[in-house]
Amino acid sequence: MKNLWYRLWRKDKIAYYFLIVFFPAVLFLGISLSGLVKLGFTPMEILRDPAQQLSYPSVLGFVSNIGVWLWISAGSICFFTYLTRRQEISRRQKELLLLVGLLAMVLGADDFFMLHERYNEKIFYLFYGLAALLLLYRYFSYILKIEPQGFLMTGIFLGTSVLIDITQSFFPADLLEVRIILEDGAKFMGAASWLYFSARIATLPRATLV
């Protein structure tokens, strides 16, 4: 029992927890609450899930929410690999992990907060297009070695989603549901493909990217 108590209340471990977890989490919570309250939102609106506040079914936006999980999972895999395998992976692989992970997180934030729908979508699409071209320009030969099919399918699905989005005015009103299924379905498949591509990069042996 004494040994258990010692393990639970080691001063160095407690101090580390407060430094790494407690204080950053409290700081984020405090800044979020104070900032959003000043914008006119109530603590209830900020803290509680929208479906719970509005008495909507929990499955509302189910596929969209899972899509966000896919983006964040892809980014997490890349960053975790970068942090835990820094001594055994090559410089090229580190660069690729950071770029792919960062892009996944940006896409996840865009998907979750609906950024490109609410702001200038052309700027967002231009940024994503340039990021994809940068990846191809700098890592084309490596992508061919790693997982060209996964990268290609990601581009096809996400490109299809963007194309449908920017041409939605040409779809007849009676095909609205079909358009949404195609657009969001393609985006979901693109997120799944990006997660697969990220996992392939993360599991590469050092010799693959030099």
Side-chain angles (χ1 to χ4, degrees), residues 178-210:
V178 173
R179 179 189 67 78
I180 292 174
I181 291 173
L182 292 175
E183 179 185 345
D184 289 344
K187 182 173 65 174
F188 181 86
M189 294 302 299
S193 300
W194 195 257
L195 175 59
Y196 171 70
F197 182 69
S198 300
R200 292 283 291 132
I201 300 171
T203 54
L204 287 175
R206 177 181 172 83
T208 308
L209 292 181
V210 294

Side-chain angles (χ1 to χ4, degrees), residues 66-153:
I66 297 298
V68 174
W69 286 13
L70 295 179
W71 290 123
I72 301 306
S73 297
S76 299
I77 287 172
C78 290
F79 293 144
F80 180 80
T81 303
Y82 175 82
L83 292 173
T84 58
R85 295 183 61 199
R86 294 188 67 176
Q87 303 303 320
E88 58 180 286
I89 59 178
S90 66
R91 179 178 60 84
R92 283 281 189 176
Q93 191 172 350
K94 291 177 186 175
E95 291 179 5
L96 192 56
L97 284 168
L98 285 177
L99 286 174
V100 170
L102 180 61
L103 188 55
M105 289 296 190
V106 171
L107 285 162
D110 182 2
D111 205 1
F112 184 75
F113 293 107
M114 299 183 294
L115 297 178
H116 78 268
E117 288 95 343
R118 297 183 182 276
Y119 302 100
N120 192 329
E121 65 178 19
K122 293 181 180 179
I123 294 178
F124 281 89
Y125 289 153
L126 178 62
F127 169 76
Y128 297 144
L130 291 175
L133 289 175
L134 173 63
L135 283 173
L136 281 174
Y137 173 76
R138 187 162 177 79
Y139 302 103
F140 180 73
S141 60
Y142 300 105
I143 289 173
L144 289 180
K145 293 179 184 178
I146 303 165
E147 187 56 50
Q149 297 81 10
F151 189 84
L152 175 64
M153 295 309 295

